[in-house]
Amino acid sequence: MIGGVDIGGTKIAVGVVDPSGRVLAGDECATDVQRGFDHAMRQATTLLQQCAERAQVKLDGIGIGCTGPLDSAAGTLGNVNNLPGWEGGNPADILSREFGVAAALENDANAAALGELRWGAGTSKARFLYVTVGTGIGVSVILDGKVYRGADGCHPEIGHHIIDPSGPPCTCGVRGCWESLAAGPAMTEWLRKSSPATYRNANLGAREICARAQDSDEWAQRAVEREAYYLGLGLANLITMFAPEAIVLGGSVMKSAHLFLDRMREVIRQNCRLVPAERVEIALASLGTDAGVIGAAQVWHDRFER
């Protein structure tokens, strides 16, 4: 029985995951970034303890997925844009001591990819990419059933490859990277700057924009079309570079994937001329709302059982 902890810029989700990838008990809370790392760890510890009690189990280990950059081997957080002031925090060490079990930390995109590899849309794929689109864009590369790591074991920040050097600034320090053009906040920012005052004052988030687009709102549909174009352009780049068997899409924005997929596929067809893009399966993550927790639990399995 493995505890899964999924730390994001908006919320922290926890749960107890059994050997078949089923969440026996789960809960979540707001990340409340401004109250600091220690406060968040106290919240996560309490919720995970309560989940274990509800499931009536003793945890055998804990896996943690967190937005990066981070040092997965050491268990420490780096300078994470969405978690200012948390750099150097070690959730693996804290949760290991609290529960008396081994704990492992991994980038959230890698965690989700490992979950899909073991129990979801990637189970039959030796080479696939997992792309999560939400507050940011994270990408995990799975080669021969293993997470690809760069120099010193780092996680490649593919969400920050540059698409338009004259594009909007990103918190990573450059202009026009994929995340600045196609993450959820990019839709919000474009609509705020480009639409009539009635939209700018509404300060709509990605979820609300997608809901309005579904109801045929003209400006929301424009924001969705722009989002789909840049998502498709980034995916086309990844297909040209990696030519994977599949790309699995997850994250909060992809809950409205039906609004984006046709345009994304069109952009991919237009921009992939040298690789067999038509053979790359574009699939949606299959683990549902518990994907982050299930993936986090798989981090423990991957680290200590492989």
Side-chain angles (χ1 to χ4, degrees), residues 29-30 46 125 139 158 186 188 203 243 284 288 290:
C29 65
T46 298
K125 306 293 189 297
V139 182
I158 297 173
T188 299
N203 195 29
L284 297 179
D290 290 325

Side-chain angles (χ1 to χ4, degrees), residues 183-245:
M187 272 202 296
T188 299
E189 185 65 11
W190 180 84
L191 194 62
R192 186 183 68 81
K193 288 184 175 180
S194 305
S195 62
T198 52
Y199 289 87
R200 292 197 294 270
N201 295 335
N203 195 29
L204 302 175
R207 181 185 300 177
E208 292 79 13
I209 294 170
C210 290
R212 289 196 179 196
Q214 184 73 41
D215 291 336
S216 301
D217 180 283
E218 178 186 357
W219 277 95
Q221 287 180 331
R222 291 187 188 185
V224 164
E225 198 282 335
R226 179 181 183 274
E227 171 82 357
Y229 170 76
Y230 281 115
L231 283 173
L233 199 57
L235 292 178
N237 290 342
L238 300 192
I239 291 171
T240 297
M241 287 186 280
F242 293 99
E245 296 172 67

Side-chain angles (χ1 to χ4, degrees), residues 141-289:
V141 180
I142 301 294
L143 298 177
D144 297 325
K146 298 179 182 179
V147 171
Y148 170 78
R149 301 184 191 278
D152 291 331
C154 74
H155 172 78
E157 292 292 340
I158 297 173
H160 293 279
H161 79 273
I162 297 172
I163 288 180
D164 179 3
S166 63
C170 180
T171 52
C172 72
V174 304
R175 283 186 171 273
C177 68
W178 194 20
E179 183 171 298
S180 74
L181 290 163
M187 272 202 296
T188 299
E189 185 65 11
W190 180 84
L191 194 62
R192 186 183 68 81
K193 288 184 175 180
S194 305
S195 62
T198 52
Y199 289 87
R200 292 197 294 270
N201 295 335
N203 195 29
L204 302 175
R207 181 185 300 177
E208 292 79 13
I209 294 170
C210 290
R212 289 196 179 196
Q214 184 73 41
D215 291 336
S216 301
D217 180 283
E218 178 186 357
W219 277 95
Q221 287 180 331
R222 291 187 188 185
V224 164
E225 198 282 335
R226 179 181 183 274
E227 171 82 357
Y229 170 76
Y230 281 115
L231 283 173
L233 199 57
L235 292 178
N237 290 342
L238 300 192
I239 291 171
T240 297
M241 287 186 280
F242 293 99
E245 296 172 67
I247 294 178
V248 178
L249 302 172
S252 58
V253 172
M254 286 298 101
K255 291 178 181 178
S256 300
H258 62 286
L259 297 175
F260 306 104
L261 283 174
D262 287 346
R263 178 63 170 139
M264 288 162 58
R265 289 190 171 108
E266 179 186 5
V267 174
I268 290 170
R269 285 194 299 270
Q270 292 170 345
N271 290 277
C272 291
R273 305 293 180 87
L274 301 177
V275 296
E278 70 281 357
R279 297 181 60 183
V280 179
E281 178 185 352
I282 306 295
L284 297 179
S286 62
L287 296 181
T289 56

